[in-house]
Amino acid sequence: MLAVFLMLVASASPQARVVKRPIPQDAKSVIRSVHVAAQAKDYRALKALMVPEFKWSFGGDSDADQAIEAWKHDQEALRELSRVTRLRCLFKADTKTIQCPANSGIYYRAGFTKTAEGWRMSYFVAGD
């Protein structure tokens, strides 16, 4: 009975949602570039590192240009983006997405996906 309980707790934990496999060097480079651009408030550089259909809000907002405009008026978002991209990142389970930080729960997190143009940031959100 205890073993079943422990299995259920482990599968519900945030750590069950990530996979420990090496992050490709080109992805690490993009994550570092996002960190530097967020710290410098370099919106042009950030935009170049994002997918066009970028998810930045759970209110249906999926556009990189909208995200950039919102961040110009929300310096906390840029501070958080800079913060999360210097933390440990891992692949999300059953996906090809890298998430920073690995186990964020409902707090700020950034996702990176491989595209035809290379690795790009595909989301930066907080909440469920």
Side-chain angles (χ1 to χ4, degrees):
M1 188 67 147
L2 178 59
V4 172
F5 173 75
L6 291 175
M7 284 178 30
L8 289 173
V9 169
S11 67
S13 75
Q15 295 191 10
R17 295 181 294 199
V18 294
V19 176
K20 292 182 181 179
R21 64 180 157 164
I23 300 208
Q25 192 58 43
D26 53 342
K28 287 180 183 180
S29 178
V30 167
I31 294 167
R32 270 192 302 274
S33 294
V34 167
H35 171 75
V36 169
Q39 207 168 32
K41 299 176 184 161
D42 186 342
Y43 301 107
R44 185 176 299 180
L46 281 171
K47 174 97 184 321
L49 297 165
M50 298 163 68
V51 297
E53 62 282 356
F54 184 79
K55 186 73 158 173
W56 63 279
S57 166
F58 291 119
D61 301 312
S62 295
D63 182 272
D65 291 321
Q66 288 177 343
I68 293 291
E69 285 305 310
W71 295 345
K72 287 179 181 178
H73 304 288
D74 183 4
Q75 297 303 299
E76 179 189 357
L78 286 181
R79 282 191 300 275
E80 288 297 319
L81 181 56
S82 175
R83 182 185 68 79
V84 302
T85 52
R86 76 171 182 260
L87 299 173
R88 185 169 180 237
C89 306
L90 288 175
F91 277 95
K92 288 177 60 177
D94 301 324
T95 72
K96 296 179 181 180
T97 300
I98 297 168
Q99 182 171 292
C100 306
N103 297 310
S104 63
I106 62 169
Y107 300 104
Y108 280 102
R109 60 213 178 262
F112 296 84
T113 307
K114 180 104 182 216
T115 70
E117 294 81 32
W119 286 92
R120 295 290 180 264
M121 185 169 56
S122 53
Y123 63 85
F124 177 61
V125 294
D128 284 341

